[in-house]
Amino acid sequence: MGAASVSEYVASLNEEQRWHVSAFIDFMSAEYPQLTPKISFSMPMWLLGKKMYEGYVAVSAAKSHFSIHFSDGEFLNRLAERLPACKKGKRCINIKYGDEVSLCVVEASIRDFLEICHFEGGVPR
C-alpha cells in the first residue's frame, strides 16, 4: 500500500530521492502557497482545481531520476524540447538526480503551465 500523506511519501524515499523531492515540494510551497499537495496515484500532486482534468503538477522519485508530472501533454512536449538532458515519460519529465539546470528550467516553466490551465490566484479561471 502507498503512502497516505505527503510526509509519509517523502519518509519512504532514500536520502538522495528525499532531498530532491523535498526540494521540489518546498519550491511549490514557497512559490504557489495557494496549492496544497495531496497523495494521488501514489505521489505528491498539486491539483489546480477540484478534479484532475482541471490540471495538476506532481512529483515522483525513481532509482536514477525524479519526475515532474504535468496534466497537459502539449505543454510537456514543448518543455521536453528545451531539455535535451532529460527523458520524457508519460506526462512527465525525468530529471537525473543532480541535474539542477534542467530542474531550474522546469521550475521556471510552472507559472506558464498554470497560465495555460487558466489558474489564477488559487482558483481556475
Side-chain angles (χ1 to χ4, degrees), residues 38 40-41 45-57 70-73 91 113-114 116-119 124-125:
K38 69 177 207 164
S40 188
F41 291 92
M45 182 179 287
W46 294 262
L47 294 176
L48 307 185
K50 294 185 184 215
K51 303 289 183 184
M52 284 182 62
Y53 68 81
E54 295 176 281
Y56 64 82
V57 176
F70 294 95
S71 56
D72 186 299
R91 296 206 186 228
F113 174 71
L114 296 179
I116 288 168
C117 291
H118 306 293
F119 183 82
R125 284 188 262 148

Side-chain angles (χ1 to χ4, degrees), residues 3 20 43 45 56 62 69 73 75 103 109-110 120 123:
H20 290 282
M43 63 186 154
M45 182 179 287
Y56 64 82
H69 305 256
F75 172 82
L103 176 59
S109 71
I110 291 175
E120 192 173 89
V123 293

Side-chain angles (χ1 to χ4, degrees), residues 52-68:
M52 284 182 62
Y53 68 81
E54 295 176 281
Y56 64 82
V57 176
V59 63
S60 64
K63 184 177 180 179
S64 62
H65 66 271
F66 62 107
S67 301
I68 309 296

Side-chain angles (χ1 to χ4, degrees), residues 59-116:
V59 63
S60 64
K63 184 177 180 179
S64 62
H65 66 271
F66 62 107
S67 301
I68 309 296
H69 305 256
F70 294 95
S71 56
D72 186 299
E74 289 179 30
F75 172 82
L76 183 67
N77 289 336
R78 288 190 305 274
L79 180 59
E81 289 174 3
R82 297 173 41 208
L83 298 166
C86 298
K87 291 186 178 180
K88 183 179 78 159
K90 185 174 182 179
R91 296 206 186 228
C92 68
I93 290 291
N94 300 325
I95 304 170
K96 290 181 182 175
Y97 294 116
D99 183 355
E100 297 302 318
V101 172
S102 295
L103 176 59
C104 286
V105 170
V106 171
E107 288 178 345
S109 71
I110 291 175
R111 187 169 309 282
D112 295 334
F113 174 71
L114 296 179
E115 288 176 10
I116 288 168

